Amino acid sequence: DAGVIQSPRHEVTEMGQEVTLRCKPISGHNSLFWYRQTMMRGLELLIYFNNNVPIDDSGMPEDRFSAKMPNASFSTLKIQPSEPRDSAVYFCASSPGPNTQYFGPGTRLTVL
Amino acid sequence: AQSVTQPDIHITVSEGASLELRCNYSYGATPYLFWYVQSPGQGLQLLLKYFSGDTLVQGIKGFEAEFKRSQSSFNLRKPSVHWSDAAEYFCAVGAKGTYKYIFGTGTRLKVLA
């Protein structure tokens, strides 16, 4: 099993640019999560999908952030426009059921 | 308020020494408790979890944790640390059937040769 796959692993962009982060969950998992990790706030849940449907997006910080899951094997997290305070490590995780999550390696985003 | 506290931001131990990482939680419902490890540049890997039953749970890589309801604690232990254990460790709490965890701020472990 390849595990959760995220791309890119590192992204450096300039303020105002659009950023798209990608995630491929583990095959057969029906839940997908996007997290953000920063020194100041730790690990925060941004959004949760179940069967490709967004269930809880209360953690999405503002309208500049959007997430989609067009099918069971792919999800994107988009930031538009990006700001320096968006710099963080973004993790995707997938789950076959409650109380079990498998994390990807993360995307380190730097917004200059 | 629901929260997870890991009071030690950094811990340094010598290789072969024993290790205990502290985790205290405040949670309204019956807690499901987790320990994750994050190696540099990697995602979080589940070490162990406690749902119910025996309060001493065994995990991967020789780790164990003990749930103490009276102290609202779930401390992680290892009898003999290896250099490869150097990483950041996160405690988390959630409810039965939940997808939403509350994570602690992490404890960074350094291992001296």
Side-chain angles (χ1 to χ4, degrees):
Chain A
D1 194 330
V4 176
I5 299 172
Q6 291 187 246
S7 63
R9 294 294 308 276
H10 301 273
E11 177 80 40
V12 180
T13 190
E14 293 188 346
M15 182 174 62
Q17 296 298 306
E18 176 181 303
V19 175
T20 300
L21 310 181
R22 297 172 176 80
C23 175
K24 177 178 171 55
I26 295 172
S27 177
H29 287 193
N30 61 357
S31 298
L32 183 138
F33 310 83
W34 282 101
Y35 289 87
R36 179 172 66 176
Q37 184 182 43
T38 62
M39 290 291 293
M40 292 299 296
R41 301 176 65 91
L43 199 63
E44 305 171 279
L45 177 65
L46 300 178
I47 188 169
Y48 156 58
F49 290 88
N50 190 52
N51 293 324
N52 312 337
V53 176
I55 303 300
D56 183 350
D57 65 355
S58 60
M60 295 287 263
E62 47 196 281
D63 292 345
R64 298 184 297 105
F65 286 70
S66 63
K68 293 183 179 180
M69 192 166 186
N71 57 62
S73 59
F74 184 67
S75 176
T76 60
L77 178 68
K78 183 179 294 186
I79 308 172
Q80 180 185 23
S82 58
E83 297 182 3
R85 59 195 170 112
D86 301 330
S87 297
V89 181
Y90 291 82
F91 288 103
C92 176
S94 70
S95 171
N99 299 121
T100 305
Q101 294 185 23
Y102 296 82
F103 285 76
T107 295
R108 181 174 296 277
L109 173 64
T110 302
V111 183
L112 303 174
Chain B
Q2 299 178 341
S3 64
V4 174
T5 302
Q6 294 180 245
D8 303 306
I9 298 175
H10 297 278
I11 282 186
T12 300
V13 299
S14 297
E15 190 171 20
S18 63
L19 172 69
E20 181 169 33
L21 302 183
R22 295 182 290 164
C23 173
N24 292 95
Y25 66 90
S26 173
Y27 202 69
T30 300
Y32 280 33
L33 294 153
F34 309 83
W35 274 100
Y36 284 86
V37 60
Q38 183 181 21
S39 298
Q42 302 298 313
L44 279 71
Q45 180 183 20
L46 181 66
L47 282 176
L48 48 79
K49 58 188 176 184
Y50 173 77
F51 290 169
S52 64
D54 191 345
T55 57
L56 185 64
V57 293
Q58 302 297 319
I60 62 171
K61 305 186 180 188
F63 285 92
E64 66 179 25
E66 185 171 14
F67 172 61
K68 293 185 177 180
R69 184 183 301 277
S70 61
Q71 298 178 19
S72 297
S73 69
F74 188 57
N75 294 348
L76 182 71
R77 299 194 296 247
K78 187 170 185 177
S80 178
V81 170
H82 188 263
W83 64 266
S84 60
D85 294 324
E88 190 154 20
Y89 293 80
F90 292 90
C91 181
V93 65
K96 180 180 179 181
T98 190
Y99 58 89
K100 213 162 188 175
Y101 298 168
I102 300 171
F103 283 87
T105 50
T107 297
R108 188 170 296 276
L109 174 65
K110 181 178 180 179
V111 180
L112 301 176

